[in-house]
Amino acid sequence: MTKPIITVRDLHLFYDDFEALKGIDMDINENEVTAFIGPSGCGKSTTIMCFNRMNDLIEGCRIEGEIKIGGKNIYDPSIDVTRLRTEVGMVFQNPNPFSKSIYDNIAYGPRNHGIKDKSTLDEIVETSLRDASIWDEVKDKLNQNAQSLSGGQQQRICIARSLSVKPKILLMDESTSALDPISTGKIEELVDKLKQEYTIVMVTHNMQQAARISDRVAFFLTGEVVEMDETEVIFNRPKHKKTEEYITGRFG
């Protein structure tokens, strides 16, 4: 039985006077992959950036409504935003490993949380790299600069870095759009494996990708969620004409 881990109610987001999100309501289920689809500028990335409060960093940004993660309102003044961003990890469009060794990239978060013991860090690094399906490729070069790896490998290093602090949720914002098809396939296989332990929310412009690996899909248009349902329903029996037109490539 699936249960929501993220609930969004009447979410409005403004950049100064511009309303970017207009009354978003959605539930995101635990241990599922939820894909956000829709044309550029429709509010997909803006919405996931609310889930770890990355929008706090944008000047003139104002939010109304409620987002609860695990039953707690994440915009409550008592919320520790640093802790929230540990629990809700994020992988961006372009791989962004630190200019440090592979080992130090993965150990960065745990060290910031006070873990100094070498054997504990060794275990976290290996587990995170295994979970990101890249251990066998890098286990003999952990001291090598992570930025020397291929784009697809760098992106899996970034996923491992997020996993090292044991998040509950992983946000992926167009995280395969800069990669070649083989690397994209590896990330998709990884996402399918990771949902056993994590809840994944991904923004994608790739319809085939959303159809392949998501459990549920939300279709965004001009700052609103037009329709959200199981993936099979969205792609085969959408309720709204705009959803069908987007899915079939008639606009967007």
Side-chain angles (χ1 to χ4, degrees):
M1 178 73 180
T2 55
K3 63 175 184 177
I5 188 171
I6 304 175
T7 59
V8 183
R9 297 292 179 265
D10 197 28
L11 176 66
H12 296 257
L13 182 141
F14 300 85
Y15 296 119
D16 295 318
D17 295 330
F18 172 69
E19 187 174 12
L21 299 178
K22 307 166 185 174
I24 305 287
D25 287 297
M26 64 168 56
D27 290 341
I28 291 174
N29 293 331
E30 204 167 24
N31 298 114
E32 286 189 351
V33 178
T34 301
F36 289 179
I37 64 171
S40 296
C42 66
K44 307 181 299 293
S45 295
T46 302
T47 300
I48 69 164
M49 285 172 66
C50 292
F51 297 159
N52 65 353
R53 291 185 49 173
M54 291 289 281
N55 287 313
D56 288 13
L57 307 173
I58 300 172
E59 195 173 336
C61 180
R62 176 169 56 88
I63 286 175
E64 298 173 0
E66 182 181 80
I67 299 174
K68 286 186 175 179
I69 294 182
K72 295 178 184 171
N73 182 359
I74 65 168
Y75 283 90
D76 187 278
S78 66
I79 288 290
D80 179 339
V81 178
T82 303
R83 182 175 173 80
L84 171 70
R85 290 179 186 150
T86 299
E87 294 181 350
V88 185
M90 191 156 192
V91 181
F92 295 92
Q93 179 171 358
N94 293 305
N96 60 344
F98 305 135
S99 184
K100 298 173 180 283
S101 69
I102 294 166
Y103 185 100
D104 286 342
N105 263 271
I106 312 306
Y108 181 84
R111 281 175 176 149
N112 273 2
H113 288 83
I115 297 173
K116 306 295 183 202
D117 178 67
K118 177 74 165 57
S119 62
T120 304
L121 287 171
D122 288 351
E123 186 177 337
I124 291 170
V125 168
E126 179 173 344
T127 300
S128 302
L129 291 168
R130 284 189 184 280
D131 287 350
S133 298
I134 195 171
W135 170 253
D136 289 339
E137 293 168 52
V138 301
K139 63 184 178 184
D140 297 323
K141 45 188 175 186
L142 295 178
N143 293 322
Q144 184 175 317
N145 191 306
Q147 292 183 351
S148 67
L149 299 172
S150 72
Q153 289 175 319
Q154 287 186 35
Q155 195 65 298
R156 280 181 286 148
I157 292 294
C158 293
I159 292 170
R161 188 176 65 195
S162 290
L163 299 181
S164 70
V165 293
K166 299 292 179 196
K168 296 175 183 172
I169 297 162
L170 192 59
L171 309 176
M172 305 182 77
D173 190 4
E174 294 278 357
S175 52
T176 62
S177 64
L179 304 180
D180 62 85
I182 291 172
S183 297
T184 296
K186 287 182 178 178
I187 300 278
E188 289 183 5
E189 287 174 16
L190 173 57
V191 166
D192 196 51
K193 183 184 84 169
L194 288 175
K195 76 175 182 182
Q196 308 305 318
E197 292 186 56
Y198 305 93
T199 301
I200 298 173
V201 186
M202 61 188 308
V203 170
T204 181
H205 278 105
N206 185 325
M207 294 297 99
Q208 291 78 19
Q209 181 175 74
R212 278 193 300 267
I213 66 172
S214 68
D215 299 289
R216 286 169 60 80
V217 171
F219 169 54
F220 284 74
L221 193 61
T222 59
E224 299 178 276
V225 175
V226 174
E227 187 169 355
M228 184 173 187
D229 212 322
E230 292 176 3
T231 302
E232 189 264 338
V233 172
I234 292 288
F235 280 94
N236 296 311
R237 302 185 304 281
K239 297 179 179 67
H240 292 266
K241 190 169 188 297
K242 285 288 184 192
T243 311
E244 183 183 358
E245 288 175 349
Y246 184 74
I247 294 288
T248 55
R250 274 176 267 176
F251 78 95

